[in-house]
Amino acid sequence: MDPIAFQIFGLEIRWYGILIATGVLIGTILAIREAKRVGLDEETLMDFLIWEVPLCLVGARLYYVVFSWDMYKYNPIEALNIRNGGLAIHGAIITAIIVAIIFTRIRKIDFGQLQMYVLLA
């Protein structure tokens, strides 16, 4: 199977990117549905996800680069080139927990409640 799903203006759109984006979209929809069901403020959840999703991508890339440093030590600017692949779920999970802790402390909401609704989705 070709890893490239299609191209837009010369930009290759790969299947893994489509799958990641689909997972984020489905997770967001499920988290919103669960928040409504249990009475969690939907706006608070959306505010959280606006921070969570992009920072988790950065965390996933950072984790990958740190543990693959031999590939980047002579050309560190290449670490920013995410088009060449390299995301690590461990980095995303660690970042998600850190962002959730900071977000709940700033908003003065219960970490367990927020995390439970997001994880249930």
Side-chain angles (χ1 to χ4, degrees):
M1 183 168 158
D2 190 1
I4 300 169
F6 56 91
Q7 291 186 355
I8 299 176
F9 304 113
L11 181 67
E12 296 175 346
I13 307 300
R14 296 182 177 263
W15 283 110
Y16 71 84
I18 292 171
L19 293 174
I20 290 171
T22 302
V24 169
L25 180 62
I26 291 170
T28 299
I29 291 167
L30 292 174
I32 290 169
R33 184 177 295 163
E34 183 65 15
K36 286 179 184 177
R37 188 181 74 76
V38 298
L40 182 67
D41 180 33
E42 185 179 330
E43 191 171 317
T44 300
L45 179 64
M46 290 306 296
D47 289 346
F48 171 67
L49 292 174
I50 286 170
W51 285 99
E52 185 81 358
V53 172
L55 289 173
C56 283
L57 287 172
V58 170
R61 179 62 177 177
L62 184 62
Y63 189 95
Y64 178 84
V65 169
V66 166
F67 286 97
S68 303
W69 184 244
D70 287 343
M71 293 172 35
Y72 302 103
K73 65 182 172 186
Y74 297 114
N75 190 8
I77 197 73
E78 190 63 25
L80 299 175
N81 187 2
I82 200 165
R83 297 289 305 159
N84 283 335
L87 297 174
I89 190 67
H90 303 90
I93 292 169
I94 292 166
T95 304
I97 293 167
I98 293 169
V99 171
I101 290 169
I102 293 169
F103 183 85
T104 55
R105 286 191 181 174
I106 290 171
R107 290 289 182 101
K108 295 177 178 46
I109 57 178
D110 181 38
F111 173 80
Q113 182 186 25
L114 176 70
Q115 208 60 21
M116 182 177 74
Y117 300 132
V118 173
L119 291 176
L120 285 175

